[in-house]
Amino acid sequence: QVQLVESGGGLVQAGGSLRLSCAFSGRADRTYATAWFREAPGKEREFVAACNRGATTSSYGDSVKGRFTISRDDVKDMVYLQMNSLNVEDTAVYYCAAGPVVGMTRIYYGNWGQGTQVTVFA
């Protein structure tokens, strides 16, 4: 079983940047694909980004392409989400997830962190 803990959320001004971190552990943690999702109040959990082991394959949601970058350190068991050019619409709880393969929907991931709040203000 994989466990994940997100950190790095907080308040940021529109146009600014923020880097989220996800620490993962477990017997299969280094073999798993990892992803970021986000959930704004009253909305469905939305796919943000995902990558495989070594981050040789990655995918992004349309709303964040060109602004967000997912990366991974398989030695330190860490996953990151670099968020640039943030806008108010990026405000959400961001979740780190892990699963056997890269996918863009929730069904690919059976392991989830508790989430970290990102609030962007104008």
Side-chain angles (χ1 to χ4, degrees):
Q1 183 173 340
V2 179
Q3 295 180 336
L4 308 100
V5 180
E6 303 95 334
S7 62
L11 293 168
V12 61
Q13 188 173 13
S17 299
L18 200 64
R19 191 192 196 197
L20 305 182
S21 299
C22 174
F24 60 97
S25 61
R27 61 186 297 109
D29 54 356
R30 293 182 179 88
T31 70
Y32 270 33
T34 48
W36 290 94
F37 287 74
R38 66 186 184 185
E39 185 172 337
K43 295 186 177 181
E44 296 290 324
R45 193 167 296 188
E46 175 190 19
F47 173 76
V48 175
C51 68
N52 66 337
R53 180 178 56 191
T56 56
T57 299
S58 61
S59 59
Y60 296 90
D62 290 339
S63 63
V64 305
K65 287 181 179 178
R67 299 189 298 120
F68 291 10
T69 303
I70 187 170
S71 61
R72 177 167 167 168
D73 187 334
D74 292 325
V75 175
K76 297 181 178 180
D77 291 340
M78 296 289 293
V79 184
Y80 306 99
L81 184 68
Q82 179 66 46
M83 304 184 293
N84 298 325
S85 301
L86 286 163
N87 54 59
V88 174
E89 288 71 38
D90 294 316
T91 296
V93 177
Y94 284 72
Y95 297 90
C96 185
V101 296
V102 171
M104 293 184 286
T105 60
R106 295 182 63 183
I107 60 173
Y108 285 88
Y109 306 97
N111 302 276
W112 296 84
Q114 82 289 346
T116 185
Q117 176 71 47
V118 173
T119 302
V120 185
F121 63 93

